[in-house]
Amino acid sequence: ADGLLEFTGRADEQVKVRGFRIEPGEIEAVLSTHPAIGAVAAGVVGRDTDARLVAWLVPATPEAGIPEAGELREFAAERLPDYMIPALFTELAALPLTPNGKLDRAALPDPGTERPEVSAGYQPPRTETERILAGIWAQVLGIDRVGGDDNFFELGGDSIISIRVVAEARKSGVHLSAGQIFEHQTVARLAAAAGTRETAAPSEQGLVTGDFPLTPVQREFFADCPSDPSHFNQSVLLTADGPVRERPLREAVRALLDHHDVLRSRFVARDGAWTARVDAAEPADVLWLADAASGNGSRRRLADAAHASLNLEEGPLLRLVLFERDRTLLVVAHHLVVDTVSWPILVEDLSTAYDQAERGLEITLPAKTSSFARWARRLTELADTPELAEEIGYWRRAAGTGVVPRDHDGENTRASARRLHTALTERDTERLLHEVPSAYGTQINDVLLTALGIVLTGWSRSAALAVDVEGHGREDVGADIDVSRTVGWFTSVYPVVLHASAEGDLGAALQRTKEDLRAVPRRGLGYGLLRYLRGAVDGSHTDVRFNYLGLSDQAATAGDGTARFLMTDDTLGRGVPPDGKRSHLLDITGRVAAGRLEIVWSYSADVHDETTVEALARRYAEVLTRLIEHCCAPGAGGYTPSDFPLSGLDQESLDFIQQSFGSPAPSHETTNSGGWS
């Protein structure tokens, strides 16, 4: 009656996962030919970008059970395309049937998640702190259980996820820093180093107002002289699990502005210099309603208007648009006050606040961590210390030239920007996250940058090439500063020199990159301080920027644990104006979404041909796949106690070493060299 056509589902069993239409019966037909399988059902659990293919299997011989997941994946891979290989295999005694004897798909159990195979066998957590941390790791990494001896990075952790661990632990009274997770990589060792509420960094819990100094990344933004500095935004498009009511949403948005002080920032140009302050309140009505009875125009036009409505000097720097009819919520914020790590915090708090307001409760959000203004002042203090001055020599050597070949001499403009998407298979992504790290004690950035170095130096025919690497920037700047739940633009950008390597010696190439990255002081934080706050180093001259965003967050839960909002992969509206220049010729961004590593190559069509970038992306995927295969091969990078004869030690000492470190033998990365000791 209202002119809408409602889609209620399909009459067959066909499903859609990550854009591919799949007939579960084809998967069932293939798996049923395995001699160890007696019966099989295939289907999908989850929805949208969280959707996963699952196979429920009944063994042909109950005593033998079903084969290992790896064997089943290999069996399926010989007969099915990658996108039809189940992510999970669950054993059942029998398939559930309807009274008519047909498969009851609705009764198939939720498979949960699997714990990846890591170097340490499963050991249950021993103390209460270990149990808290193990539960948090399982939650943020999306696996069913974590043992006391499990390694964070072997389970698929990365630097951005480490910040989530710190924030979640804080809620449970366990206080950590992200740096401690890198230093103490197992649950047991991290629990032993953890603090309590009494040892936590003090934080301002009331309104924070007043002037604050610009951080290096904010200074870089203004130094690039954007044509419209007020229009440089990030945004997320949320879907709601149910109708969204205006009153509780307005209350939730107001609570968000009160709680996260940086959202009330203003940036003012005075005598050619920009200053920053936080106001006591946001007077603007930041919520717009669309698709109401009176109508508000097209989604695209309204989204573009929302992006253009932000104003650095007068505010606001946050805008929300509720599309009531399709239950989506666009959240736009100026990049000066948010970054990638900020969004899950904001969406979680918005979800919590909305849930409390809808139920008529007083809105109570998690305790604040250190304010962005306090962080900015600490960086200013750090820039003038003798310790930072010791990094000047390192950064002057690292800020080398990184010039790549061009196809054309056109201008590198935003209007000419194009994007090319590639992705690894789920199987290779799983191995990259959970098997590769144990071979050489690496983290995912080590592997991704090793492959990039091989590709770029081969393309440019150079022995070495500098690239700008983006990091989350929330590094340790003192025990009294904790920004694990602080919203703001913390990003650090710093040059890293990548070296040419022969593909025949991938292990040596990976080890060199690992050592080079471990040698970066403060994980790159000092470069921006020395360049923009102290003027002690020149800017790097690099054509390429690389950024790994980690595992993408999707859901934000309400107070009762249900999914209130879902962060989608869709975008709406123009975040930056089309005029203006891009900072790099190639922007390479990676993240893991829906179980696959996605790489996005951004380039200018006036500088590079699409065929050139396609060749680079294809070459990168090939090298990365070879690196994964090398690290997963038997004995790759492995060290066993027999490799290090410990003559002259008594049995008690040997037992202590084995108990403490297990096998393979321990690695300890020193601050400067990253070598074995």
Side-chain angles (χ1 to χ4, degrees), residues 69 71 107 180 247 278-279 337 339 353 393 478 673:
E71 178 184 336
Q180 285 178 308
R247 181 195 59 79
V278 175
D279 285 351
V337 297
D339 57 13
S673 71

Side-chain angles (χ1 to χ4, degrees), residues 11-95:
D12 59 10
E13 300 296 338
Q14 190 178 100
V15 295
K16 188 175 182 181
V17 179
R18 296 184 305 281
F20 294 103
R21 294 199 177 278
I22 298 170
E23 186 64 54
E26 296 181 26
I27 301 173
E28 294 167 355
V30 167
L31 292 177
S32 64
T33 63
H34 194 290
I37 303 301
V40 58
V44 172
V45 296
R47 64 173 189 168
D48 299 330
T49 54
D50 279 338
R52 294 179 298 165
L53 276 174
V54 178
W56 292 267
L57 307 171
V58 177
T61 306
E63 296 78 14
I66 65 173
E68 294 290 335
E71 178 184 336
L72 290 170
R73 287 193 183 97
E74 290 182 5
F75 180 83
E78 294 174 356
R79 299 159 176 84
L80 294 170
D82 290 333
Y83 63 85
M84 292 183 67
I85 299 174
L88 296 175
F89 298 89
T90 297
E91 182 173 346
L92 300 177
L95 295 178

